Amino acid sequence: MSTSARLALLGPHGLDAEGLEGFVAALKAACEAGDVAAVILRLAATDERGLTARVKAVAPVAQERGAALVVACPGFTGDLATVAIRGGADGIHVDKPRDLKDLRGRLRDGRILGAGGIETKHGAMEAGEAGIDYLMFGGLYPDGVAPEAETVRARATWWAEIFETPCIAVAVAADEIGPLGATGAEFVGLESGLWLSDPAAVERAQRVLREAAA
């Protein structure tokens, strides 16, 4: 019997100050419903102070329940690493990254550097060589479109078989959770539509992942 994948929860794209209170409440309930390894917080761009304040509001909710908080903000042109550090997050997530080696050098003290949005095997291997802590396959783009589920499964299987760097394979629909859990990926991500309004989905997803690993 292999070890079942752990769960990562993806927040909605563009979380702003108005949506923060509802998100925090939903995240607390979801993390208490099961074993959540990580939360990817996808923020709407604003100034550094505003982003830092949002991170500070979310970080304790995740961390006190055993989940690492990783911050993403695709539209932010400032220093996301500083936002994460000042906000008390565990690290950052970048999509279609260009400066991973620089970020890796700045994110020390065990802080996490994750990457996603990479659509070629060559790009994935380059990211792995830059020293990332995980590579994410799949998940919704900001425009609401997601890669084909079969492509995500194939890429996660390829990565898990060859590379030691962990990967997150993201489920957009509930019926994708089991097949992704069978790829060998260390983590299966749940898009916000699967858990944000239904915290019990975390427990159900864990049960599916245990079955997939049996």
Side-chain angles (χ1 to χ4, degrees):
M1 179 182 295
S2 60
T3 302
S4 62
R6 297 188 70 196
L7 287 172
L9 303 182
L10 279 67
H13 279 291
L15 182 67
D16 57 19
E18 292 184 0
L20 190 61
E21 183 177 354
F23 175 79
V24 167
L27 179 62
K28 179 180 178 181
C31 287
E32 290 176 349
D35 175 32
V36 176
V39 176
I40 299 177
L41 182 65
R42 301 188 290 197
L43 298 172
T46 185
D47 58 37
E48 187 173 302
R49 179 178 294 181
L51 291 177
T52 301
R54 286 181 222 165
V55 175
K56 286 182 177 180
V58 178
V61 177
Q63 293 163 346
E64 290 171 6
R65 291 160 181 82
L69 182 71
V70 183
V71 181
C73 188
F76 181 55
T77 58
D79 188 349
L80 190 61
T82 296
V83 168
I85 292 167
R86 291 180 177 173
D90 296 283
I92 65 173
H93 175 93
V94 289
D95 282 319
K96 298 182 179 178
R98 297 181 181 179
D99 53 355
L100 285 175
K101 289 184 179 179
D102 175 65
L103 289 170
R104 179 71 285 166
R106 296 182 56 235
L107 284 169
R108 300 174 181 173
D109 303 323
R111 282 193 167 85
I112 297 165
L113 175 59
I118 299 172
E119 298 174 353
T120 67
K121 289 184 176 180
H122 178 71
M125 289 187 287
E126 285 189 331
E129 291 170 357
I132 57 173
D133 294 296
Y134 69 81
L135 186 61
M136 188 172 84
F137 296 109
L140 294 177
Y141 299 117
D143 62 3
V145 176
E148 291 291 333
E150 180 53 42
T151 299
V152 176
R153 288 196 296 272
R155 195 58 55 84
T157 300
W158 162 74
W159 184 268
E161 287 178 348
I162 299 174
F163 301 98
E164 292 185 2
T165 301
C167 72
I168 302 175
V170 181
V172 176
D175 61 3
E176 297 171 8
I177 296 171
L180 290 177
T183 63
E186 289 83 359
F187 304 94
V188 168
L190 300 184
E191 265 294 349
S192 59
L194 293 176
W195 66 270
L196 197 59
S197 61
D198 181 16
V202 171
E203 192 279 330
R204 294 197 300 273
Q206 282 190 310
R207 186 166 60 249
V208 170
L209 292 176
R210 287 194 294 268
E211 292 170 355

